[in-house]
Amino acid sequence: MMQITISDKILHFKQPAGTSRGVYTTRHSYYVTIEKDGVRGIGECATLPDLSCDTLGSDDAYRQTLSQLCQLTASMGSIPFDLLRPYPSMLFGLETAMAQVNAGGSLDFFHTPFGRGEEGIPMNGLVWMGTFEEMYARMKAKLDAGFHCIKLKIGAIDWDRELSLVQFIRQHFSKEDIELRVDANGGFTPENAMSRLEQLAKYDVHSIEQPIRQHQWKEMAALCRNTPLPIALDEELIGVNLKMMKEDLLDTIRPQYIILKPSLHGGMRGTEEWIALARSRGIGSWITSALESNIGLNAIAQLAAKIYGPHISMPQGLGTGQLFTDNIPLDHAVLQLRGDKLWLK
């Protein structure tokens, strides 16, 4: 007999998290707890306003739908994956809770070296949007902490100042010293994107995420075809939940990389489907978190370890666990940063 309960919590950011879509100061997360045969598992369900495809317009509507899907899952004794394709954040939470139950309550969901605490996962150091001075200070803190891959969120302040920050990095650190990624969050336009990509390419940028807003397939395909630096799709993948839609997107745009956030891109199963389709087309990928608490972050790290491990070399985007003043602790374990690697201890 399976029982599923729901709780929720408002998480508070240590400092405002700025993106090109606005600034987040809090995060509302729902937690589903599955109990089956005396074993308990917990998963996180949370959306990002103006970004997730399953916000449903209000917290009440979201909770009501989540409750109905939990009841259905409990009555069936398993997750109805196809029915949950339109609700990736809910699917991700249920998958996480079920994975822990199937692991006997352990946080080592997939029996990996990471899950056993034997190896860490390399990460990029995330530098949030802000003033030039704020971004510079955040970048220096990441470098001082030992990160070898830095990701800059751009598109919020004056372009020339953002470009000067990239230039500053390269004046002091070569591409062998620092792998530099940038995330435009759709902040460029089809008219100015190529010239900005050409400017960035002068500074040995590893890749740029989502240079223009999603749903402009023709324009994005042209950018990917002619770009002087690799383009990674992120927001473009949101709401593309059916396999044939995923195939159509990849075949039309032909990006160099895709970046998967399980709570946005189809849960664990949808993320694995995206990556398999990309691999068969010679398209690279990595996994990132989407401002989850420790519950969701652990699940994403476990999934990354399963897909890319052991001995992951590509830095993943798993650095959001330090963002909250009131993060939820994990049962009998701690997610810990050591240098530029995330460990479960």
Side-chain angles (χ1 to χ4, degrees), residues 280-325:
S280 70
R281 290 161 172 78
I283 297 169
S285 66
W286 64 88
I287 290 177
T288 77
S289 54
L291 309 183
E292 287 87 2
S293 71
N294 282 330
I295 301 297
L297 180 60
N298 173 66
I300 296 167
Q302 300 287 344
L303 181 63
K306 174 188 177 185
I307 293 173
Y308 300 120
H311 313 307
I312 297 175
S313 58
M314 171 79 80
Q316 307 294 303
L318 306 175
T320 62
Q322 308 297 310
L323 294 177
F324 303 109
T325 61

Side-chain angles (χ1 to χ4, degrees), residues 7-183:
S7 61
D8 67 318
K9 180 178 175 64
I10 302 291
L11 300 165
H12 298 83
F13 286 94
K14 293 178 181 177
Q15 59 187 28
T19 75
S20 61
R21 285 179 171 78
V23 178
Y24 296 120
T25 57
T26 61
R27 180 79 194 277
H28 191 181
S29 287
Y30 292 86
Y31 297 92
V32 293
T33 300
I34 295 179
E35 294 190 29
K36 182 179 180 182
D37 301 327
V39 180
R40 173 179 171 274
I42 183 169
E44 181 173 3
C45 308
T47 60
L48 291 173
D50 302 320
L51 193 58
S52 299
C53 66
D54 56 349
T55 56
L56 305 183
S58 70
D59 287 345
D60 288 343
Y62 185 89
R63 183 165 190 141
Q64 182 178 4
T65 301
L66 177 60
S67 177
Q68 292 170 346
L69 292 172
C70 286
Q71 291 172 20
L72 179 60
T73 299
S75 65
M76 293 176 60
S78 62
I79 298 172
F81 288 100
D82 285 337
L83 185 63
L84 278 163
R85 278 184 180 266
Y87 310 103
S89 65
M90 302 181 199
L91 174 57
F92 174 59
L94 285 166
E95 285 176 308
T96 300
M98 191 70 80
Q100 187 173 5
V101 168
N102 292 338
S106 168
L107 293 174
D108 179 16
F109 298 162
F110 306 118
H111 309 295
T112 64
F114 169 79
R116 294 190 295 271
E118 296 170 2
E119 67 179 35
I121 298 175
M123 303 191 311
N124 62 57
L126 178 60
V127 176
W128 284 97
M129 287 178 176
T131 65
F132 180 90
E133 291 74 20
E134 288 170 338
M135 292 178 73
Y136 170 75
R138 292 167 188 168
M139 178 200 67
K140 190 173 186 308
K142 294 297 182 184
L143 297 177
D144 291 344
F147 282 88
H148 300 285
C149 177
I150 300 294
K151 172 180 167 180
L152 291 175
K153 280 190 171 287
I154 59 177
I157 62 175
D158 179 79
W159 167 246
D160 290 334
R161 287 172 64 78
E162 290 176 333
L163 188 64
S164 68
L165 181 60
V166 172
Q167 182 182 30
F168 176 86
I169 296 171
R170 278 294 172 249
Q171 285 173 344
H172 293 80
F173 302 95
S174 70
K175 65 179 180 180
E176 287 75 27
D177 295 324
I178 294 293
E179 178 180 292
L180 183 59
R181 301 174 179 175
V182 296
D183 183 2

Side-chain angles (χ1 to χ4, degrees), residues 196-224:
R196 293 186 174 184
L197 295 181
E198 290 170 350
Q199 289 176 288
L200 287 168
K202 297 175 183 177
Y203 302 108
D204 296 311
V205 172
H206 170 272
S207 57
I208 181 169
E209 295 181 34
Q210 202 69 40
I212 62 174
R213 286 193 177 272
Q214 64 266 48
H215 309 314
Q216 301 179 86
W217 285 20
K218 179 181 178 181
E219 292 82 0
M220 187 68 85
L223 285 176
C224 290

